[in-house]
Amino acid sequence: MKTSDFYYELPQELIAQDPLEDRSASRLMHLDKETGELEHTDFKHIVDYLKPGDCLVINDTKVIPARLYGHKKDTGAVIEILLLKRRENDVWECLVKPGKKARPGAEIVFGDGILQGKILEIAEEGNRLIQFFYEGIFEEILDRLGEMPLPPYITHKLKDRDRYQTVYAKHEGSAAAPTAGLHFTRELLEQVEAMGVKIAHVTLHVGLGTFRPVKVDDVEKHHMHSEFYVVEEDQAKLINDTHKNGGRVISVGTTSCRTLESAAQEDGTVRAGSGWTDIFIYPGYRFRVIDGLITNFHLPESTLLMLVSALAGKEHILHAYEEAVRQRYRFFSFGDAMMIE
């Protein structure tokens, strides 16, 4: 299986640069994973594809303002840092630009010195381990100095921080938003619950691996970055009871999907717990938990495109994407949505 098997032609102007004013006003493509049949509607009509007894699984991670700009203490050279994951207390694994100037021992000053960092060592993939020094609460300082870490394909400035956050975001720790959830408003979620659909929460802190291109030709040789996830006992029960009672488990986003499949046992039940997952789902994978998926349109040759192809079949997906391009759907993080069931 080649990475190039997952290529499709995407005009640059279809990459959504700004979120819509109304979250649920985005378009929705419905894909029947068995037949490949497509339907077109608006996201607010997602309720038409849900049934009483179903369970929607959402990822309640919260994006931190993880992008920081500072300068080297000795030379004044500008340094950009993206916090990837907390290793311990005030030590973070970070992506640093330009990397050449970020050698172990270098000291970086942010925001007139209210936050300082020292590069401890070079980690895998050229990332840096940085220890931060400050007075007060780190999260509050980050809130003052940091910017939302928008994906590299979004070049517009984000006017409202909350628009790169789901309405149910709760647990801080992500370097990227679980974007399928951006389409839901509180009102729409209330409508979903009122019709007898349960909503289960899981947490997966999204790392930079989401945006990393697949650099190998052979799909199976690609290695995913690990991400931290949590499935609480009561939420695992809610999901497992749904299947026991004949309902469907619909994952909101690939991050919820990867969490559920990571926590799945052989018999398809979800085990409560927490840990790190580097699960890589591509065609040939046997799904143990999810019956359907709500997701955005993904980058060509990406691991996320491979995941949806595993669920619906590569031919069905690539045909759906061709149709999305033809019908001028909006792509990627701030773009339109697809439901696969």
Side-chain angles (χ1 to χ4, degrees):
M1 200 183 314
K2 299 283 181 211
T3 301
S4 56
D5 294 340
F6 299 89
Y7 180 77
Y8 68 92
E9 212 53 72
L10 179 69
Q12 194 75 15
E13 69 269 16
L14 294 185
I15 300 173
Q17 291 295 326
D18 303 288
L20 297 178
E21 206 166 311
D22 174 4
R23 289 173 182 265
S24 62
S26 52
R27 293 163 77 188
L28 176 69
M29 177 188 284
H30 179 271
L31 169 62
D32 185 313
K33 65 184 180 191
E34 305 303 331
T35 66
E37 198 176 315
L38 301 173
E39 290 175 12
H40 305 279
T41 184
D42 295 322
F43 194 84
K44 57 175 73 77
H45 298 304
I46 193 84
V47 290
D48 298 341
Y49 298 105
L50 300 173
K51 301 168 191 160
D54 285 347
C55 179
L56 268 191
V57 182
I58 59 179
N59 179 8
D60 62 10
T61 186
K62 192 169 189 178
V63 186
I64 58 173
R67 182 166 275 127
L68 288 162
Y69 293 93
H71 62 269
K72 280 184 72 182
K73 203 171 190 176
D74 55 355
T75 65
V78 174
I79 297 276
E80 179 189 335
I81 283 179
L82 184 63
L83 302 174
L84 296 179
K85 54 185 163 196
R86 193 194 289 265
R87 286 290 189 91
E88 54 182 278
N89 298 331
D90 295 320
V91 176
W92 285 75
E93 184 177 338
C94 305
L95 185 69
V96 180
K97 288 184 194 172
K100 285 178 186 168
K101 293 178 180 170
R103 296 190 179 91
E107 295 180 1
I108 306 164
V109 179
F110 306 91
D112 296 332
I114 62 166
L115 179 65
Q116 299 198 28
K118 183 175 183 180
I119 298 174
L120 302 180
E121 61 180 88
I122 298 174
E124 57 178 322
E125 301 263 348
N127 295 337
R128 296 328 194 240
L129 291 189
I130 299 180
Q131 180 160 14
F132 289 97
F133 304 92
Y134 54 90
E135 285 182 16
I137 298 167
F138 183 71
E139 285 72 18
E140 287 179 4
I141 293 169
L142 198 58
D143 214 43
R144 277 173 60 190
L145 300 181
E147 289 184 7
M148 283 310 231
L150 292 179
Y153 48 75
I154 293 176
T155 56
H156 290 192
K157 197 95 169 150
L158 185 64
K159 294 188 183 82
D160 177 5
R161 254 189 201 190
D162 286 343
R163 289 301 279 108
Y164 193 58
Q165 208 77 272
T166 61
V167 296
Y168 45 77
K170 188 177 178 186
H171 302 290
E172 294 192 328
S174 273
T179 54
L182 296 179
H183 304 283
F184 282 98
T185 60
R186 287 192 177 83
E187 295 73 25
L188 188 52
L189 287 167
E190 284 165 12
Q191 197 183 338
V192 165
E193 283 191 290
M195 64 179 284
V197 174
K198 299 279 191 292
I199 295 177
H201 293 239
V202 296
T203 307
L204 180 133
H205 293 317
V206 190
L208 199 71
T210 299
F211 306 123
R212 276 203 190 279
V214 179
K215 291 177 178 170
V216 289
D217 290 333
D218 182 350
V219 166
E220 292 173 39
K221 289 183 177 161
H222 177 69
H223 176 66
M224 296 285 280
H225 280 62
S226 59
E227 296 166 312
F228 186 73
Y229 75 91
V230 181
V231 181
E232 300 288 356
E233 197 78 52
D234 57 339
Q235 303 303 300
K237 184 178 185 316
L238 195 55
I239 294 158
N240 293 332
D241 286 351
T242 298
H243 274 158
K244 268 186 213 159
N245 299 329
R248 300 174 308 159
V249 173
I250 312 285
S251 168
V252 176
T254 55
T255 59
S256 301
C257 166
R258 292 178 66 245
T259 304
L260 292 175
E261 295 297 321
S262 297
Q265 301 183 94
E266 267 307 311
D267 63 358
T269 56
V270 172
R271 185 180 55 245
S274 63
W276 294 86
T277 179
D278 61 358
I279 189 170
F280 179 21
I281 298 174
Y282 54 87
Y285 178 84
R286 180 178 66 85
F287 287 87
R288 291 183 282 187
V289 183
I290 74 161
D291 303 295
L293 174 69
I294 296 166
T295 186
N296 281 17
F297 291 90
H298 305 296
L299 280 78
E301 300 183 335
S302 64
T303 59
L304 302 182
L305 189 59
M306 293 169 193
L307 184 154
V308 294
S309 296
L311 183 62
K314 181 166 66 77
E315 287 72 23
H316 288 341
I317 288 292
L318 290 178
H319 171 254
Y321 273 54
E322 279 169 24
E323 188 62 17
V325 168
R326 206 174 64 76
Q327 299 222 14
R328 314 291 291 173
Y329 272 69
R330 300 164 77 247
F331 278 68
F332 306 161
S333 296
F334 287 141
D336 294 317
M338 172 190 268
M339 180 171 182
I340 304 168
E341 60 164 332

